[in-house]
Structure formats: structure tokens, C-alpha cells
Amino acid sequence: MSESPKVITRFAPSPTGYLHVGGARTALFNWLLARNTGGQYLLRIEDTDLARSTEDATRQLVEDLSWLGLKHDNAELVYQSKRLSIYNKIIDELVSKNLAYEAWESSEELTAMRQQAERAKRSFIYRRRNYSADELKRFSDEGRKPIIRFVMPVKEYRFHDVVLGKEVAQPAQESQDFVIRKTDGMPTYHFGVVVDDAQMKISHVLRGLEHLKNTFNHIALQDALGYDRPIYAHLSVMLNPETGEKLSKRDRDRRIRKRTQEVMRSSKKSIDEMAAMSQIELPRFTDWLNIDTQQLDLTEQPRVMKAVGLKESDLPEVMVNDFRKNGYAPEVLLNFLALQGWSTGDNVEQMSVSDMVQRFSIDRLNSANPKFNRDKLRSFSTTFFTSCGPVRLMAALKDFLLANPRSPLNRATDVQLARVLEINMGFHVLSEMEEKSRFLFIEDDQIEYDVSAVEKTLIKNDKQGLIALKTVRELLASVENFTHENTKAVVEAYCVLSGLGLGKVAQPIRVAVCGTTISPPIFECIEMLGKTRTLNRIDRCTSHCETV
RNA sequence: GGCCCUGUCGUCUAGAGGCCUAGGACACUCCCCUUUCACGGGAGCGACACGGGUUCAAAUCCCGUCAGGGUCACCA
């Protein structure tokens, strides 16, 4: 009896697709608490919403969680949809004890009742009502199916919340007979959670603040069923820094929409033209552009993005998978997420996962809602990648390429990838270094020249840059062993001779070789490309300039 | 709107009545390094939402105002 009970936490998402960062943080805190205390962290799939839950969504969810490294301790996943008989047995018992009952109002009738209450400026509280025999007959003649409601004892409910650090109460008059079984026979969230948490012996419930009010329902149910009450901790919600509202997938569409409107304004494109460019039918496109809740689907989104010149990495990451695709390492995401609503208390911020496990404490959780600002995450990522060592780096890059199968870097050998990482040292995220390096792995004739880069470094000032480029081309051609040391020595010698700064010569080479003014160190780049391809690209660029 | 929660630099936060002239990190500004973009080094700007109390003493406790958020489903 004296031995302290084991900590058992859980993450209980409903499978609606890829994992949201908010969910990831909830999972993380539950996982950290379990790891820190030597307890268990369990994963349960709340798939009682038949319309929305799919196997595919569950697969994606589990994939994201495993990418993050938040491994659950239950060998078999718990699916609520597979536990119907358990719920039904308990519900039937409640009904037989008169602690729950059948209610026959349809959803339409209920909304009508709610609207009526709203008009009368009352809050709508459902309490049990009796049906006459005639009514009941009519309902069953109509083919109606009843829902089951729990008789919530009318009294004040209170519980202690660890994050708030105090008791929270709900006044008696807000007690309401909430639904525990739906017409389709599935239990509601409230019922499923209470039963499962009890049966899984969950000791600590760490969940989003949006569940705070639900907790009163849950403790009422626990009392009726004779269950122990777990320790509750309601986590703050992460906010979109631009809107100040709950972080949402829609934020990505908002960014695209905003950009589309900007493009339409600046280039004076009509809505018909924009729709055509995006290959989307006009009515659909108009709807999306004007209605904030409308979202583009997976095929439409890339087309609109292309039409308005947006890259994947320009969109705000919201789902865990977005972070993966943009080239963040999971441990960095976890580190940053942990700091949204939790702190070590001693100026330590950048931590390994095991540091976090060691330092985690449930009573250092914050109650204010943080704005999710990605700048700091980006900075954490930079320090991580510059210090994690070549093995971890390579693994991260391989994972990134797996998530980005269309990247030209997929054509590189391991040796080349290692070299690319080396010469890019100091990059923020893998997508950034990928964008900067992809020119190394595409065909010479696929290089696209940036108009302003060509103008600025080659054409401007009587084609000085172009002239230098032509001279340097011959010098490079004469280099026997095409190493970066050798090419650099040749070019530097030319600079001394001609009195030009290195930049005046290096930039034209850069533009010739990669098409833009931005690249990893240029001599390392041309070494990777080799002499033939380097000269080839310079020649192609030279003739491109003649045509300008 | 009802109910509930929350307010410290632009952002994430440290702060448990005197250790606070309020600390750190990111961002920002300037300088240095530099063949571009970055990385790195150095310096700087910058907050207790407001108003009342309580107290010898308040960022910290109390009240009010204001602001923000959550929630009001047969969705979880």
C-alpha cells in the first residue's frame, strides 16, 4: 500500500490525418513524464467518429509519432472502435441502474432547442424529460434511434489542475445530461475516455486546455462508475503568431491566399487568369479565395503555389510532417516544442532528448498560451546541425530525401552527399541547403539563369563580369588537377594580375555554374562538378549572355 | 453573449514579497570575419497591461478595468 503508484500516461488522438504540432507537444509531455518517472506511456486511438476516422489516417499518425521517436509502451495499439462490447456493457448497466437513459430528440430538434435558448438569452442545458407512450410509438414508427444520456448529478464539480496549480470548479447549474452513446452505437468521446483511462490505469492525464470543461463531465462519470480520478494537467494551447488564434492547418491556406491576392494586385491579374494559371475551375477558385474556411486539396495546392511563386518551405509548418519535409530533425522539433509551455528554470534551453527526460517536471508547466514563433526553432536547428556530427547529419539528410523523393539530391552518391553537407555547414534546415545545392545534381542544360543575377554580375558595366568570366574560363581549362585549392590559386593569381577583387571574378563563375548569386563556396562546388561540366556550364552561360 | 482561463522585452521564458538597476534565448540594429548566401565573434536596443489597495518593502498578495485565449455537438 505504501509504495507510490506507477505513473502511466497516454496520448489519445483521433485519427484524422497527419499529426498536428499541438498534438505532438501533448504526446511529448506525456512521454517525458513517463520516461522521467520510470512509468509507462501508452497510445490509444480514439476512432469513434466513423465518418472521419480512417486506417490511412491512423497509419500517418503512427508514422509521425515514430518519426519523432515517441515510442509507446503498449505492444498492441488500443483502438476504441474495437472495444464496443466493453462500452456497451457498462452503458447498459448504467441504464438499468437508472443512471443513464434513452433520449429521442433528433439532432435537428436539438439545434432548434439550442437556437431558441440563444434567442431567449438563456444557456441551453439538457436535462431528462419524460416521453409519453404516444411519442415513443411515433419515434419508433419514424425509425428513430435513441441516444443514451448520462444522468449528471446536479452539483458543483471541482478538481485540481496541475498546470493551473489550483482547483477549478463548475457551478451546479451547469450540470447537464450529456450524451454517452450515439445513434450509430458508438460511445462519445466523454464515455470512451473515462472508461479507457480507468481500465488502462492512467495516473496522469496531460491534454489540451480545450478539454478543461470536459473534465467536469468526466469526473461525474468516474464518480458514477466508481473509478479513481487521475491527476489532471491541462496544457496551454499554441497560438498562431500572426492571428493570435489556435494554430491550425488552415494557416497554410491563409498564407497561399494572401500571396495570391498580392500577386493579383501587383500584376493586375484577374481572378479568371489566376484560376486558369492554377488549373482550377473558376467557381471553386473564387470560393477558396473568398472564404477563409475553404481549403485547397492535395492536388490543387501545388498548382496554386506554383502559379503565385510559393515554395513548400515558404508555408508555415503546422503538421509534424511539414517539419519533416522542410528538413528539421525530430529531436530539434521536440526540444522546441518542449519549450512551448515548459521550461527548465535555469537558463538551459537547447537540450538533447535525454536531457529533457532527465529535467522534465510536471510542475514547471506553464498556463499562458504561447505564440508559436518558428524563428527560434530555426536557430535551434542551425546549432543542432552544426554540432551533431557527420553520422547524425547524414541520417537526417537521408530521411529528408526520403520525405522529398523528387529532390535531385536523391541522385547523389553517399560520398557526394557527405561533401555537400560539409561545404554547406552553417545551414539552418535541410531544405535550405538542398535548394542551395540542387544545381550540382541536375543536367548542365537544366540550369536556369536568374535574370537579375545575370544582369548584375555579368552584363552590367560594359560586360566586365562576362569578360572576366571568359578569361577565367581559359585559366580553369588549363588546370590539370581540378581541386578547389588549384582552381582557387589560379583565380586568385588572376585577381592579383588584373587588380580585380575576388568577388568580381567569383560571382560571374557562380552565376555561370548555378544560375544564381547564391551557392555554397564556389571552388568546392566546381570541384564537385568537375572540369568538363564546369567549363560546359560556363560556355553555355556565355552564349546565353550573348543573346541577352 | 454565458461560463472558465491567462496577462514580464517583438517572441519563448526566468522570477514563490526584499537577492531585480528584472536574468537568459530567439528576433532586430551596428561592428568584425568573408568570393555569394550562411556560420562564427563582439557590442547594442528592448518588458513587469492599466488603476487602486495591503505592506517598512510588490513583477510577486488582494480588488477593479482593459486586453487576449478556451469552451458552449449524436467531433474528439
Side-chain angles (χ1 to χ4, degrees):
Chain A
M1 276 318 256
S2 62
E3 119 188 42
S4 69
K6 198 169 175 185
V7 168
I8 305 179
T9 65
R10 47 65 163 185
F11 179 51
S14 57
T16 53
Y18 286 111
L19 180 61
H20 188 279
V21 269
R25 189 189 58 155
T26 303
L28 171 64
F29 285 147
N30 278 287
W31 183 85
L32 284 174
L33 175 62
R35 287 290 92 89
N36 174 266
T37 53
Q40 282 194 305
Y41 159 79
L42 310 177
L43 181 59
R44 180 174 74 224
I45 306 296
E46 309 223 320
D47 54 350
T48 54
D49 184 349
L50 266 15
R52 288 202 296 168
S53 308
T54 64
E55 251 174 66
D56 219 34
T58 307
R59 211 205 66 243
Q60 293 172 330
L61 195 67
V62 171
E63 188 185 315
D64 284 339
L65 250 9
S66 101
W67 180 73
L68 286 169
L70 303 179
K71 215 170 156 295
H72 49 270
D73 296 317
N74 43 330
E76 288 279 316
L77 275 187
V78 178
Y79 289 88
Q80 289 191 322
S81 60
K82 295 182 183 164
R83 294 169 50 80
L84 279 191
S85 59
I86 296 166
Y87 306 129
N88 282 331
K89 184 160 174 269
I90 300 169
I91 291 175
D92 293 344
E93 257 172 53
L94 283 173
V95 172
S96 72
K97 287 189 197 151
N98 213 17
L99 294 172
Y101 60 90
E102 293 183 336
W104 292 88
E105 291 79 13
S106 66
S107 333
E108 295 75 33
E109 284 166 351
L110 285 168
T111 25
M113 287 158 83
R114 273 187 205 101
Q115 282 164 354
Q116 196 184 5
E118 200 182 324
R119 276 195 299 273
K121 299 209 158 125
R122 290 184 286 111
S123 55
F124 177 72
I125 297 287
Y126 190 101
R127 296 270 171 74
R128 185 170 198 167
R129 56 167 296 221
N130 292 311
Y131 306 96
S132 67
D134 284 351
E135 270 181 309
L136 288 172
K137 182 172 182 311
R138 199 187 84 223
F139 292 149
S140 68
D141 287 351
E142 282 174 7
R144 275 198 200 192
K145 285 193 177 139
I147 54 177
I148 306 292
R149 286 180 183 268
F150 171 66
V151 184
M152 186 170 185
V154 178
K155 62 174 195 182
E156 184 192 70
Y157 291 90
R158 45 174 61 236
F159 68 93
H160 179 84
D161 185 277
V162 181
V163 176
L164 261 25
K166 64 178 186 188
E167 293 247 304
V168 202
Q170 171 173 281
Q173 68 270 18
E174 290 193 35
S175 307
Q176 143 158 253
D177 294 354
F178 56 90
V179 180
I180 57 177
R181 185 163 69 200
K182 307 183 269 187
T183 40
D184 64 5
M186 300 300 274
T188 60
Y189 162 71
H190 303 296
F191 192 79
V193 188
V194 167
V195 170
D196 291 343
D197 282 348
Q199 295 198 351
M200 291 163 82
K201 299 191 163 44
I202 303 301
S203 65
H204 293 68
V205 173
L206 275 55
R207 51 160 48 150
L209 188 62
E210 53 268 36
H211 290 295
L212 189 82
K213 298 276 276 204
N214 294 334
T215 307
F216 300 113
N217 290 359
H218 300 173
I219 60 185
L221 220 35
Q222 283 156 5
D223 290 350
L225 294 167
Y227 295 159
D228 287 340
R229 183 184 299 183
I231 292 168
Y232 283 107
H234 289 93
L235 275 10
S236 55
V237 286
M238 293 193 289
L239 271 23
N240 176 337
E242 279 160 39
T243 62
E245 289 165 358
K246 214 160 122 181
L247 202 61
S248 137
K249 292 199 264 215
R250 274 184 212 155
D251 300 344
R252 289 164 75 79
D253 270 70
R254 287 199 180 112
R255 175 70 59 88
I256 304 173
R257 189 177 292 118
K258 200 175 147 198
R259 176 59 170 258
T260 306
Q261 285 157 350
E262 284 166 7
V263 167
M264 284 171 65
R265 221 173 302 126
S266 64
S267 67
K268 304 234 161 49
K269 288 241 173 17
S270 71
I271 193 163
D272 301 71
E273 287 173 279
M274 287 311 297
M277 281 167 71
S278 315
Q279 302 160 49
I280 295 176
E281 288 182 22
L282 186 63
R284 162 75 181 140
F285 189 79
T286 312
D287 270 3
W288 170 75
L289 199 60
N290 295 323
I291 306 172
D292 187 58
T293 51
Q294 289 276 328
Q295 289 184 52
L296 296 171
D297 68 31
L298 253 49
T299 61
E300 296 165 330
Q301 185 172 307
R303 296 203 300 264
V304 179
M305 283 171 66
K306 192 160 180 214
V308 301
L310 276 175
K311 299 187 300 285
E312 172 75 27
S313 53
D314 293 327
L315 298 187
E317 305 92 347
V318 176
M319 312 307 274
V320 167
N321 193 252
D322 301 334
F323 291 92
R324 184 182 182 190
K325 277 204 280 193
N326 280 353
Y328 286 93
E331 51 268 64
V332 173
L333 217 211
L334 290 178
N335 188 174
F336 179 72
L337 251 22
L339 262 25
Q340 302 287 298
W342 175 76
S343 71
T344 58
D346 58 3
N347 286 347
V348 175
E349 290 198 324
Q350 301 207 32
M351 288 170 281
S352 68
V353 174
S354 58
D355 286 339
M356 286 191 275
V357 167
Q358 220 160 68
R359 309 182 83 124
F360 187 76
S361 154
I362 193 176
D363 40 50
R364 290 203 58 85
L365 251 15
N366 266 125
S367 50
N369 299 336
K371 292 201 178 94
F372 189 78
N373 184 333
R374 295 166 186 80
D375 285 345
K376 192 162 177 166
L377 168 66
R378 202 175 138 84
S379 162
F380 277 23
S381 177
T382 311
T383 40
F384 175 78
F385 283 134
T386 51
S387 62
C388 70
V391 176
R392 179 68 193 93
L393 242 190
M394 182 60 96
L397 179 55
K398 286 285 181 74
D399 177 72
F400 169 81
L401 291 176
L402 209 62
N404 293 279
R406 300 178 62 176
S407 165
L409 269 66
N410 279 296
R411 296 202 278 266
T413 64
D414 280 10
V415 176
Q416 286 175 315
L417 288 181
R419 184 66 180 148
V420 167
L421 287 168
E422 209 178 336
I423 65 178
N424 271 290
M425 251 330 155
F427 64 88
H428 302 105
V429 291
L430 291 164
S431 60
E432 175 194 296
M433 87 101 207
E434 192 268 358
E435 278 165 29
K436 251 166 75 174
S437 312
R438 54 194 310 161
F439 77 94
L440 291 166
F441 303 100
I442 63 179
E443 297 303 323
D444 295 343
D445 57 8
Q446 296 295 304
I447 299 292
E448 288 174 24
Y449 302 108
D450 180 86
V451 179
S452 65
V454 169
E455 167 64 28
K456 191 171 146 205
T457 63
L458 294 160
I459 310 293
K460 213 174 71 179
N461 296 331
D462 296 327
K463 302 199 173 178
Q464 264 186 19
L466 186 57
I467 294 162
L469 181 63
K470 283 176 175 170
T471 315
V472 164
R473 189 246 181 246
E474 299 313 320
L475 294 171
L476 290 175
S478 70
V479 175
E480 282 297 325
N481 188 8
F482 210 71
T483 63
H484 63 97
E485 291 96 342
N486 291 349
T487 53
K488 190 177 180 192
V490 165
V491 171
E492 277 177 341
Y494 168 69
C495 287
V496 172
L497 203 70
S498 64
L500 289 171
L502 189 50
K504 289 268 186 270
V505 184
Q507 282 302 78
I509 305 177
R510 196 185 308 279
V511 174
V513 164
C514 69
T516 72
T517 53
I518 299 171
S519 85
I522 190 62
F523 298 108
E524 279 77 354
C525 287
I526 61 174
E527 177 181 330
M528 285 193 74
L529 238 26
K531 187 161 148 184
T532 315
R533 296 186 69 195
T534 301
L535 297 180
N536 194 11
R537 288 187 186 200
I538 292 177
D539 293 340
R540 181 167 172 266
C541 178
T542 313
S543 49
H544 170 79
C545 288
E546 309 294 349
T547 65
V548 174

